[in-house]
Each structure stands twice: as structure tokens, then as C-alpha cells.
Amino acid sequence: MWKQDQMCDKEGIYSFKNGNEYRGHFCPSNLAMYGVFEGSGTFKIVEVCIYSGQFKSGMICGQGRVDFINSNKSFEGIWNPVSLESFEQMMRLQI
């Protein structure tokens, strides 16, 4: 949540134009108007999967789990830094 151009709530929801959604922690940043994804959160790729885990500097990074929406397929582990766009491309190849 923002008040007088200052971030006052470090948790929230960011909805992308394509329907994907991030829920979790935000960190103030001079490079991004609304801050960057940082700490724990979830990233839902519409009709594909939900990633629950760690984010760093707006990227998926660290311990996390992926659960595919239309199957029993899932996996978890430690992720090297990967952009949300690259992560989405990789996950779409898995379905």
C-alpha cells in the first residue's frame, strides 16, 4: 500500500496484464516504481502453475516449490536467480 508516494505496507498483490499474479513481500527500490519482489511470496502463472518460495531483487531465487495446476506434478528445490519471464517460459514447456 502506498501513502503520499511512500511504501507503507511491504506485503501485497501485483497483478500482471496477462493475468499472472504475485503475492508477497515487496522491497522499496529506486529502480521500480512499486518496489521489487523480495523475500517470500507466490507467483501464479495462469492455467500453468504456482510457485511458492523465495524472491530476490524481483527474481525467483532460493528455496521454492512449483505445483502444476492441472496435474499432480510438482517439484521443489533451490533456484538460481531467474527472471519471472524466463521462469514462465520454462514452466510452460513442462505442461
Side-chain angles (χ1 to χ4, degrees), residues 28-68:
S29 171
N30 293 333
L31 301 175
M33 182 175 177
Y34 299 110
V36 295
F37 309 147
E38 186 82 28
S40 61
T42 61
F43 177 53
K44 180 179 181 181
I45 301 171
V46 175
E47 298 181 9
V48 177
C49 67
I50 300 172
Y51 166 83
S52 302
Q54 296 298 305
F55 293 80
K56 185 171 183 175
S57 300
M59 300 172 73
I60 289 173
C61 181
Q63 184 68 39
R65 176 183 173 97
V66 176
D67 292 295
F68 287 86

Side-chain angles (χ1 to χ4, degrees), residues 1-9:
M1 178 187 323
W2 288 78
K3 187 175 184 180
Q4 297 177 352
D5 292 330
Q6 296 291 318
M7 183 184 290
C8 58
D9 187 356

